[in-house]
Short mmCIF file of all heavy atoms in Angstrom, two decimals:
data_model
loop_
_atom_site.label_atom_id
_atom_site.label_comp_id
_atom_site.label_asym_id
_atom_site.label_seq_id
_atom_site.Cartn_x
_atom_site.Cartn_y
_atom_site.Cartn_z
N GLY A 1582 55.16 -79.98 23.74
CA GLY A 1582 54.57 -79.36 24.93
C GLY A 1582 53.38 -78.51 24.61
O GLY A 1582 53.04 -78.31 23.42
N PHE A 1583 52.66 -78.17 25.56
CA PHE A 1583 51.36 -77.48 25.48
C PHE A 1583 51.15 -76.38 26.48
O PHE A 1583 51.63 -76.48 27.72
CB PHE A 1583 50.23 -78.56 25.76
CG PHE A 1583 48.83 -77.99 25.66
CD1 PHE A 1583 48.15 -77.84 24.55
CD2 PHE A 1583 48.17 -77.72 26.94
CE1 PHE A 1583 46.85 -77.32 24.49
CE2 PHE A 1583 46.87 -77.27 26.93
CZ PHE A 1583 46.24 -77.01 25.71
N TYR A 1584 50.58 -75.28 26.06
CA TYR A 1584 50.32 -74.03 26.92
C TYR A 1584 48.88 -73.56 26.55
O TYR A 1584 48.58 -73.48 25.40
CB TYR A 1584 51.37 -73.00 26.61
CG TYR A 1584 51.15 -71.76 27.35
CD1 TYR A 1584 51.98 -71.41 28.47
CD2 TYR A 1584 50.17 -70.72 27.01
CE1 TYR A 1584 51.80 -70.24 29.17
CE2 TYR A 1584 50.07 -69.64 27.73
CZ TYR A 1584 50.83 -69.31 28.80
OH TYR A 1584 50.67 -68.17 29.54
N SER A 1585 48.18 -73.21 27.57
CA SER A 1585 46.91 -72.63 27.34
C SER A 1585 46.56 -71.54 28.43
O SER A 1585 47.01 -71.66 29.57
CB SER A 1585 45.81 -73.66 27.35
OG SER A 1585 45.63 -74.23 28.63
N THR A 1586 45.85 -70.54 28.06
CA THR A 1586 45.40 -69.52 29.04
C THR A 1586 44.06 -68.98 28.57
O THR A 1586 43.73 -68.96 27.40
CB THR A 1586 46.41 -68.41 29.12
OG1 THR A 1586 45.90 -67.45 30.05
CG2 THR A 1586 46.48 -67.66 27.72
N ILE A 1587 43.26 -68.61 29.57
CA ILE A 1587 41.97 -67.96 29.30
C ILE A 1587 41.57 -67.02 30.38
O ILE A 1587 41.90 -67.35 31.59
CB ILE A 1587 40.83 -69.07 29.13
CG1 ILE A 1587 39.55 -68.41 28.63
CG2 ILE A 1587 40.65 -69.89 30.43
CD1 ILE A 1587 38.50 -69.44 28.21
N SER A 1588 41.05 -65.89 30.06
CA SER A 1588 40.67 -64.95 31.09
C SER A 1588 39.40 -64.22 30.64
O SER A 1588 39.13 -64.01 29.48
CB SER A 1588 41.75 -63.95 31.39
OG SER A 1588 41.98 -63.15 30.22
N LEU A 1589 38.62 -63.76 31.59
CA LEU A 1589 37.31 -62.97 31.40
C LEU A 1589 37.51 -61.69 32.15
O LEU A 1589 37.89 -61.75 33.35
CB LEU A 1589 36.16 -63.76 31.79
CG LEU A 1589 34.78 -63.06 31.72
CD1 LEU A 1589 34.39 -62.76 30.27
CD2 LEU A 1589 33.72 -63.83 32.33
N ALA A 1590 37.08 -60.59 31.54
CA ALA A 1590 37.23 -59.24 32.18
C ALA A 1590 36.04 -58.40 31.87
O ALA A 1590 35.52 -58.38 30.73
CB ALA A 1590 38.54 -58.58 31.83
N GLU A 1591 35.65 -57.61 32.77
CA GLU A 1591 34.76 -56.49 32.59
C GLU A 1591 35.53 -55.28 32.31
O GLU A 1591 36.51 -54.98 33.11
CB GLU A 1591 33.82 -56.22 33.78
CG GLU A 1591 32.85 -55.14 33.50
CD GLU A 1591 31.86 -54.77 34.66
OE1 GLU A 1591 32.23 -55.23 35.77
OE2 GLU A 1591 30.88 -54.12 34.40
N THR A 1592 35.30 -54.55 31.18
CA THR A 1592 36.27 -53.58 30.74
C THR A 1592 35.64 -52.19 30.66
O THR A 1592 36.19 -51.25 29.97
CB THR A 1592 36.76 -53.93 29.33
OG1 THR A 1592 35.68 -54.12 28.42
CG2 THR A 1592 37.62 -55.20 29.36
N SER A 1593 34.57 -51.91 31.28
CA SER A 1593 33.94 -50.57 31.25
C SER A 1593 33.47 -50.23 32.64
O SER A 1593 33.28 -51.08 33.52
CB SER A 1593 32.82 -50.55 30.23
OG SER A 1593 31.74 -51.40 30.68
N GLY A 1594 33.22 -48.94 32.90
CA GLY A 1594 32.67 -48.41 34.07
C GLY A 1594 33.69 -48.19 35.16
O GLY A 1594 34.87 -48.42 34.97
N LYS A 1595 33.23 -47.71 36.29
CA LYS A 1595 34.12 -47.47 37.39
C LYS A 1595 34.63 -48.72 38.13
O LYS A 1595 35.87 -48.76 38.51
CB LYS A 1595 33.44 -46.57 38.45
CG LYS A 1595 33.03 -45.22 38.01
CD LYS A 1595 32.37 -44.43 39.22
CE LYS A 1595 32.05 -43.00 38.75
NZ LYS A 1595 31.42 -42.20 39.82
N TYR A 1596 33.77 -49.70 38.23
CA TYR A 1596 34.20 -50.98 38.82
C TYR A 1596 34.43 -51.93 37.75
O TYR A 1596 33.68 -52.19 36.92
CB TYR A 1596 33.12 -51.49 39.76
CG TYR A 1596 32.79 -50.55 40.96
CD1 TYR A 1596 31.81 -49.57 40.76
CD2 TYR A 1596 33.52 -50.62 42.10
CE1 TYR A 1596 31.55 -48.68 41.80
CE2 TYR A 1596 33.23 -49.70 43.20
CZ TYR A 1596 32.23 -48.74 42.99
OH TYR A 1596 32.01 -47.88 44.03
N ARG A 1597 35.65 -52.61 37.78
CA ARG A 1597 36.04 -53.60 36.77
C ARG A 1597 36.62 -54.85 37.52
O ARG A 1597 37.19 -54.68 38.59
CB ARG A 1597 36.96 -52.99 35.73
CG ARG A 1597 36.40 -51.79 35.10
CD ARG A 1597 37.26 -51.24 33.99
NE ARG A 1597 36.85 -49.88 33.45
CZ ARG A 1597 37.31 -49.28 32.45
NH1 ARG A 1597 38.36 -49.86 31.74
NH2 ARG A 1597 36.85 -48.10 32.08
N TYR A 1598 36.59 -55.88 36.79
CA TYR A 1598 37.23 -57.13 37.41
C TYR A 1598 37.69 -58.03 36.28
O TYR A 1598 37.34 -57.93 35.04
CB TYR A 1598 36.21 -57.84 38.32
CG TYR A 1598 34.99 -58.38 37.48
CD1 TYR A 1598 35.10 -59.60 36.87
CD2 TYR A 1598 33.79 -57.65 37.43
CE1 TYR A 1598 33.94 -60.10 36.10
CE2 TYR A 1598 32.70 -58.03 36.73
CZ TYR A 1598 32.76 -59.33 36.01
OH TYR A 1598 31.72 -59.75 35.39
N SER A 1599 38.52 -58.99 36.64
CA SER A 1599 38.97 -60.03 35.66
C SER A 1599 39.40 -61.26 36.50
O SER A 1599 39.78 -61.17 37.64
CB SER A 1599 40.19 -59.49 34.85
OG SER A 1599 41.30 -59.27 35.68
N PHE A 1600 39.36 -62.31 35.85
CA PHE A 1600 39.89 -63.58 36.36
C PHE A 1600 40.22 -64.59 35.35
O PHE A 1600 39.74 -64.42 34.13
CB PHE A 1600 38.86 -64.28 37.33
CG PHE A 1600 37.51 -64.60 36.76
CD1 PHE A 1600 37.30 -65.77 36.05
CD2 PHE A 1600 36.52 -63.65 36.89
CE1 PHE A 1600 36.08 -65.95 35.53
CE2 PHE A 1600 35.26 -63.88 36.22
CZ PHE A 1600 35.03 -65.02 35.62
N GLY A 1601 41.20 -65.46 35.55
CA GLY A 1601 41.65 -66.36 34.54
C GLY A 1601 42.48 -67.49 35.09
O GLY A 1601 42.76 -67.65 36.32
N THR A 1602 43.02 -68.30 34.16
CA THR A 1602 43.80 -69.51 34.51
C THR A 1602 44.74 -69.82 33.40
O THR A 1602 44.54 -69.53 32.20
CB THR A 1602 43.00 -70.68 34.82
OG1 THR A 1602 43.78 -71.79 35.19
CG2 THR A 1602 42.06 -71.01 33.64
N ASP A 1603 45.96 -70.37 33.69
CA ASP A 1603 47.00 -70.88 32.74
C ASP A 1603 47.25 -72.31 33.08
O ASP A 1603 47.08 -72.78 34.19
CB ASP A 1603 48.27 -70.07 32.90
CG ASP A 1603 48.15 -68.60 32.62
OD1 ASP A 1603 47.30 -68.24 31.78
OD2 ASP A 1603 48.95 -67.86 33.16
N PHE A 1604 47.60 -73.04 32.10
CA PHE A 1604 47.99 -74.44 32.18
C PHE A 1604 49.14 -74.71 31.23
O PHE A 1604 48.95 -74.45 30.00
CB PHE A 1604 46.85 -75.41 31.87
CG PHE A 1604 47.23 -76.82 32.01
CD1 PHE A 1604 47.01 -77.49 33.20
CD2 PHE A 1604 47.71 -77.62 30.87
CE1 PHE A 1604 47.38 -78.82 33.35
CE2 PHE A 1604 48.01 -78.95 31.06
CZ PHE A 1604 47.81 -79.50 32.25
N VAL A 1605 50.32 -75.10 31.78
CA VAL A 1605 51.54 -75.34 30.96
C VAL A 1605 52.20 -76.62 31.32
O VAL A 1605 52.39 -76.98 32.48
CB VAL A 1605 52.54 -74.27 31.20
CG1 VAL A 1605 53.68 -74.32 30.17
CG2 VAL A 1605 51.92 -72.76 31.19
N THR A 1606 52.46 -77.47 30.25
CA THR A 1606 53.10 -78.74 30.52
C THR A 1606 54.63 -78.56 30.55
O THR A 1606 55.15 -77.55 30.26
CB THR A 1606 52.77 -79.78 29.41
OG1 THR A 1606 53.44 -79.27 28.08
CG2 THR A 1606 51.32 -79.90 29.29
N LYS A 1607 55.31 -79.61 31.07
CA LYS A 1607 56.74 -79.49 31.32
C LYS A 1607 57.57 -79.35 30.07
O LYS A 1607 58.60 -78.67 30.10
CB LYS A 1607 57.15 -80.84 32.05
CG LYS A 1607 58.64 -80.84 32.47
CD LYS A 1607 59.00 -82.14 33.34
CE LYS A 1607 60.37 -82.08 33.86
NZ LYS A 1607 60.60 -83.40 34.66
N ASP A 1608 57.16 -79.87 28.92
CA ASP A 1608 57.97 -79.85 27.72
C ASP A 1608 57.60 -78.78 26.82
O ASP A 1608 58.08 -78.72 25.65
CB ASP A 1608 57.82 -81.21 26.99
CG ASP A 1608 58.47 -82.34 27.76
OD1 ASP A 1608 59.54 -82.15 28.36
OD2 ASP A 1608 58.05 -83.49 27.70
N PHE A 1609 56.78 -77.87 27.26
CA PHE A 1609 56.45 -76.61 26.36
C PHE A 1609 57.73 -75.79 26.25
O PHE A 1609 58.29 -75.41 27.23
CB PHE A 1609 55.35 -75.88 26.96
CG PHE A 1609 55.07 -74.63 26.08
CD1 PHE A 1609 54.43 -74.76 24.97
CD2 PHE A 1609 55.41 -73.34 26.56
CE1 PHE A 1609 54.12 -73.61 24.15
CE2 PHE A 1609 55.05 -72.23 25.89
CZ PHE A 1609 54.47 -72.36 24.60
N ASP A 1610 58.24 -75.57 25.03
CA ASP A 1610 59.49 -74.90 24.81
C ASP A 1610 59.42 -74.10 23.51
O ASP A 1610 59.62 -74.64 22.44
CB ASP A 1610 60.64 -75.98 24.75
CG ASP A 1610 61.95 -75.27 24.58
OD1 ASP A 1610 62.00 -74.04 24.59
OD2 ASP A 1610 63.00 -76.03 24.61
N PRO A 1611 59.08 -72.83 23.59
CA PRO A 1611 59.02 -72.03 22.52
C PRO A 1611 60.31 -71.10 22.26
O PRO A 1611 60.35 -70.13 21.45
CB PRO A 1611 57.84 -71.02 22.77
CG PRO A 1611 58.01 -70.83 24.23
CD PRO A 1611 58.56 -72.11 24.78
N ASN A 1612 61.35 -71.47 22.92
CA ASN A 1612 62.57 -70.61 23.09
C ASN A 1612 63.46 -70.46 22.01
O ASN A 1612 64.39 -69.70 22.03
CB ASN A 1612 63.27 -70.92 24.42
CG ASN A 1612 62.51 -70.61 25.65
OD1 ASN A 1612 61.76 -69.65 25.68
ND2 ASN A 1612 62.60 -71.41 26.67
N ASP A 1613 63.19 -71.15 20.84
CA ASP A 1613 64.13 -71.00 19.70
C ASP A 1613 63.77 -69.74 19.05
O ASP A 1613 64.63 -69.11 18.40
CB ASP A 1613 63.87 -72.19 18.82
CG ASP A 1613 64.61 -73.41 19.33
OD1 ASP A 1613 63.89 -74.08 20.16
OD2 ASP A 1613 65.72 -73.73 18.96
N LEU A 1614 62.47 -69.26 19.03
CA LEU A 1614 62.10 -67.96 18.43
C LEU A 1614 61.11 -67.15 19.33
O LEU A 1614 60.59 -66.23 18.97
CB LEU A 1614 61.39 -68.22 17.11
CG LEU A 1614 61.32 -67.09 16.09
CD1 LEU A 1614 62.62 -66.29 16.04
CD2 LEU A 1614 60.93 -67.45 14.72
N GLY A 1615 60.98 -67.71 20.61
CA GLY A 1615 60.17 -66.96 21.55
C GLY A 1615 60.90 -66.89 22.89
O GLY A 1615 62.15 -67.22 22.90
N ILE A 1616 60.23 -66.56 23.93
CA ILE A 1616 60.92 -66.65 25.23
C ILE A 1616 59.80 -66.99 26.29
O ILE A 1616 58.73 -66.39 26.36
CB ILE A 1616 61.54 -65.28 25.68
CG1 ILE A 1616 62.29 -65.42 26.87
CG2 ILE A 1616 60.50 -64.10 25.66
CD1 ILE A 1616 63.37 -64.28 27.03
N ASN A 1617 60.12 -68.06 27.08
CA ASN A 1617 59.24 -68.58 28.10
C ASN A 1617 60.10 -69.27 29.17
O ASN A 1617 60.93 -70.06 28.78
CB ASN A 1617 58.14 -69.49 27.54
CG ASN A 1617 57.19 -69.95 28.62
OD1 ASN A 1617 56.28 -69.24 28.88
ND2 ASN A 1617 57.37 -71.15 29.04
N PHE A 1618 59.90 -68.92 30.41
CA PHE A 1618 60.65 -69.50 31.47
C PHE A 1618 59.96 -70.59 32.26
O PHE A 1618 60.57 -71.54 32.70
CB PHE A 1618 61.18 -68.37 32.34
CG PHE A 1618 62.07 -67.35 31.74
CD1 PHE A 1618 61.80 -66.00 32.06
CD2 PHE A 1618 63.00 -67.66 30.82
CE1 PHE A 1618 62.62 -64.98 31.39
CE2 PHE A 1618 63.74 -66.68 30.11
CZ PHE A 1618 63.54 -65.33 30.46
N TYR A 1619 58.70 -70.33 32.65
CA TYR A 1619 58.02 -71.15 33.62
C TYR A 1619 57.18 -72.22 32.90
O TYR A 1619 56.37 -71.86 32.03
CB TYR A 1619 57.08 -70.28 34.48
CG TYR A 1619 57.91 -69.26 35.23
CD1 TYR A 1619 57.96 -67.98 34.79
CD2 TYR A 1619 58.56 -69.63 36.44
CE1 TYR A 1619 58.72 -67.01 35.58
CE2 TYR A 1619 59.29 -68.67 37.19
CZ TYR A 1619 59.33 -67.39 36.67
OH TYR A 1619 60.15 -66.41 37.34
#
Side-chain angles (χ1 to χ4, degrees):
F1583 175 82
Y1584 177 104
S1585 67
T1586 182
I1587 189 169
S1588 67
L1589 176 66
E1591 183 182 16
T1592 56
S1593 65
K1595 293 182 179 181
Y1596 298 93
R1597 305 185 188 187
Y1598 63 85
S1599 65
F1600 56 88
T1602 180
D1603 299 328
F1604 180 88
V1605 189
T1606 64
K1607 185 176 184 178
D1608 289 328
F1609 178 71
D1610 185 358
N1612 290 325
D1613 290 81
L1614 197 45
I1616 189 164
N1617 182 78
F1618 299 138
Y1619 300 97

